[in-house]
Amino acid sequence: PSFDYEGADMIDLPSVRRIFIYPGYTDMRCGIRSLSVKVACGFPGEDLVGCLFLFCGHNRKSMKALEFAKDGTWLYQKVFRNGRFRWPRPDEDGKVPEITERQIRWLLDGLEIVQRKASTESKPAVLF
């Protein structure tokens, strides 16, 4: 399948302080208010400015992103024409995991957020 970044370009990812992904599925009929309430219940009393929260529909073809800015809240939505999001399954503890900018790009590309064969960062070897 072919994927594009038209929707991702609207979100200024480098300026986002933290990215959280809600595992499991969310009713995509939920709007900005009900998603904000869901986030506020999971993060009571926390400063959410600069945070991005991701939600996925049951068919995994659509995703909503809620971004908290200084002067309001943004709601973005992406729907795949072809393909599906590789959405993680919920853990037993039900915690909302934090992901990186790299992982959200993988997710928007239709890839899993954990790449089993990706190389890991290492310290350079000392050469004599």
Side-chain angles (χ1 to χ4, degrees), residues 19 21 35 47:
I19 304 167
I21 185 168
L35 292 175
D47 178 18

Side-chain angles (χ1 to χ4, degrees), residues 16-23 43 46 50-54 88 91 95-101 103-104 113-114:
V16 172
R17 192 169 50 96
R18 298 174 79 185
I19 304 167
F20 295 95
I21 185 168
Y22 267 79
F43 294 84
E46 289 197 36
C51 293
L52 184 71
F53 293 86
L54 307 174
D91 292 341
K95 289 175 63 177
V96 180
E98 187 169 352
I99 64 172
T100 65
E101 181 181 338
Q103 288 174 308
I104 190 175
I113 61 171
V114 177

Side-chain angles (χ1 to χ4, degrees), residues 2 22 26 50 53 64 71 74 80 87 95 99 104 110 125:
S2 169
Y22 267 79
T26 301
F53 293 86
K64 287 188 177 181
D71 59 350
W74 285 92
F80 276 141
W87 209 254
K95 289 175 63 177
I99 64 172
I104 190 175

Side-chain angles (χ1 to χ4, degrees), residues 74-86:
W74 285 92
L75 179 63
Y76 307 95
Q77 183 172 5
K78 179 167 183 164
V79 179
F80 276 141
R81 287 183 217 108
N82 299 313
R84 297 184 189 280
F85 291 105
R86 305 283 185 217

Side-chain angles (χ1 to χ4, degrees), residues 49 68-74:
V49 173
F68 292 90
K70 292 178 189 174
D71 59 350
T73 306
W74 285 92

Side-chain angles (χ1 to χ4, degrees), residues 2-54:
S2 169
F3 302 103
D4 56 39
Y5 284 108
E6 288 176 13
D9 290 341
M10 287 187 67
I11 303 170
D12 184 16
L13 289 176
S15 72
V16 172
R17 192 169 50 96
R18 298 174 79 185
I19 304 167
F20 295 95
I21 185 168
Y22 267 79
Y25 305 111
T26 301
D27 184 346
M28 288 290 102
R29 294 174 293 178
C30 289
I32 197 166
R33 286 197 172 115
S34 55
L35 292 175
S36 295
V37 167
K38 183 180 252 194
V39 169
C41 289
F43 294 84
E46 289 197 36
D47 178 18
L48 300 177
V49 173
C51 293
L52 184 71
F53 293 86
L54 307 174

